[in-house]
Amino acid sequence: MAHSPSLLEVAQAIISPPYPTWAAAGIYGVFVLMVLLLSIVLPGTIVEGQPFPQAWTVPGKPNRKTYKLNGLLVALSLYGIYIVGGLLAIWPLTLWADHFGDLAVFVFLVVLALSSYLYVSAKVSGRGHFTASFVHDFWSGVELNPSIGGIDLKMFALKLAMTGWILMNISFVAKQYQLYGFVTNRMILYQLFTFIYMFDYYFFENAMLSTWDIISEHWGFMLVFGDLWWMVFAFSVQNFYLLHELQPLSNFSVLCILGLFAIGFTIFRISNYQKNQYKTNPNQPLIFTKGKPETIEGRLLVSGLWGVVRKPNYVGDWLIAISFSLPCGFSYLFPFLYPIYLITLNIHRAIRDDEKCSEKYKELWKKYRQRVPYYFFPKIV
Ligand code: NDP
């Protein structure tokens, strides 16, 4: 019979068992090794990253990195192996969901250990850029692109993040089926949206190389935690609610949520694509526009969605994030953790980016702000 989960059921599901176990170490260890192995053996496109910022260029050495991009193939192969192994009863398909609590604690310890290693190894080798504050350096990192054995840790951690999140989701579908013998339309919507988001992310993996995280941010605790822990364990909390919420959504609600996702995804994809098109070939017409793109003195795009507001890609991402949570209904705030986080993060990021761009583009940025005065919503903010 359909019932809504009690708060106790939701909490119990999350915290069992609340300590690291050898099983968690084994599951995570095999996962990391599998992602590594698949990344090495599967074919990929070889591309060059953006040039390093001035502070990181060393005379006589290459000023950009080369990457092998095969994230989509790695992710799909990993899910295939996990599902086939589960169906053949080599491991339970519910493995990740059953070990959510101890995996979360174990991976947090990994994050602490890795962040400490990054700090100490940069100090010992003299590679890092340190400030006077240990807390700042540990939190923000002291190296731009640390690597171990030739593996670029920043890009590799992003693979663990995205593949781990969807693996967790798949495991929760299996958990609901194991518990109740069916999968709800709410669960299907959440899974469909997150799978499309993951697919899109890897389909345009190339675009990651021109994001702020990859080009400018050091790799320290903040990003290590974000990639290894937050994306896998916090992005997926909707599952705990969806698992026991057996009341189906009405067709009307399904249509509304699908519509919101479609609008958000269209804004997100078109805006990121238009900026990427402009950065790679400034003279070509942008998708859904005609003629050469309009710019501020050939450096800042004001055509397409970038002429409507200054952060159209964030707005699209917010609508997507809200549609990830809407299948859970409005009984609890907790399934809305991801959109709340993303909106907060992006507002802070938009302000920091504005400061960064006004320093970089100076008068041009002022002109851009006059031409496109709003951050997110025309005539509002
Ligand atoms: P942006 O893609 O907006 O990149 C900002 C940079 O783009 C600026 O620093 C500037 O860099 C350039 N730029 C900005 N406006 C213009 C313009 N009009 N013309 C030309 N160049 C411009 O931000 P992010 O990298 O933060 O985000 C990328 C995507 O990732 C977004 O969709 C965001 O929502 C998503 N995201 C998702 C997160 C998640 O946890 N799910 C976390 C963070 C981001 P330059 O100096 O090169 O010109």
Side-chain angles (χ1 to χ4, degrees), residues 5 54 91 109 136 178 202 215 236 239-240 253 255 273 285 290 298 333 337 345:
Q54 188 68 36
W91 47 73
L109 297 180
H136 170 274
Q178 181 197 60
Y202 282 126
I215 303 173
S236 60
N239 285 299
F240 287 105
S253 301
L255 276 180
Y273 195 72
K290 287 195 185 120
L333 184 63
L337 177 68
L345 175 101

Side-chain angles (χ1 to χ4, degrees), residues 144-264:
L144 183 66
N145 287 305
S147 59
I148 296 180
I151 310 281
D152 181 79
L153 292 177
K154 239 184 198 176
M155 284 300 277
F156 184 65
L158 280 170
K159 267 188 182 153
L160 296 180
M162 204 42 113
T163 48
W165 174 30
I166 301 300
L167 206 59
M168 184 64 86
N169 289 349
I170 292 172
S171 189
F172 270 92
V173 178
K175 188 79 198 166
Q176 188 172 59
Y177 190 77
Q178 181 197 60
L179 287 175
Y180 301 108
F182 61 90
V183 177
T184 60
N185 63 357
R186 297 169 185 267
M187 183 64 106
I188 292 170
L189 273 188
Y190 171 72
Q191 298 292 337
L192 177 73
F193 294 162
T194 51
F195 193 84
I196 293 174
Y197 195 72
M198 178 282 298
F199 195 94
D200 171 87
Y201 172 88
Y202 282 126
F203 196 79
F204 294 99
E205 198 178 5
N206 197 6
M208 271 314 290
L209 300 179
S210 54
T211 60
W212 191 10
D213 290 1
I214 299 293
I215 303 173
S216 318
E217 298 265 58
H218 290 176
W219 209 59
F221 178 84
M222 182 181 74
L223 286 183
V224 177
F225 175 77
D227 294 342
L228 267 53
W229 197 94
W230 185 256
M231 273 187 75
V232 178
F233 300 100
F235 280 25
S236 60
V237 294
Q238 286 90 328
N239 285 299
F240 287 105
Y241 189 82
L242 295 170
L243 188 60
H244 301 294
E245 176 51 277
L246 306 182
Q247 199 77 48
L249 280 173
S250 68
N251 290 343
F252 179 70
S253 301
V254 169
L255 276 180
C256 290
I257 299 172
L258 276 170
L260 186 73
F261 177 80
I263 294 169

Side-chain angles (χ1 to χ4, degrees), residues 284-310:
Q284 72 178 322
L286 304 176
I287 186 170
F288 298 126
T289 66
K290 287 195 185 120
K292 208 177 145 191
E294 236 187 298
T295 63
I296 305 278
E297 298 183 25
R299 300 203 48 211
L300 288 163
L301 182 63
V302 287
S303 276
L305 291 176
W306 297 87
V308 181
V309 286
R310 296 204 299 278

Side-chain angles (χ1 to χ4, degrees), residues 50 197 208 210-213 215 230-231 235 268 271-272 275 278-279 299-302 306 310-318 338 341-342 345-346 349 353 356-357 360-361 365 368:
Q50 299 287 315
Y197 195 72
M208 271 314 290
S210 54
T211 60
W212 191 10
D213 290 1
I215 303 173
W230 185 256
M231 273 187 75
F235 280 25
F268 167 81
S271 53
N272 278 321
K275 180 154 75 71
Y278 173 69
K279 292 280 179 188
R299 300 203 48 211
L300 288 163
L301 182 63
V302 287
W306 297 87
R310 296 204 299 278
K311 287 289 177 195
N313 50 352
Y314 286 5
V315 175
D317 221 352
W318 295 347
Y338 176 60
Y341 142 81
L342 190 67
L345 175 101
N346 278 356
R349 230 171 141 96
D353 195 44
K356 182 206 107 173
C357 289
K360 176 173 172 181
Y361 293 107
W365 193 252
Y368 177 50

Side-chain angles (χ1 to χ4, degrees), residues 127-140:
R127 288 189 309 260
H129 290 190
F130 290 86
T131 67
S133 162
F134 165 76
V135 175
H136 170 274
D137 290 349
F138 185 79
W139 176 265
S140 302

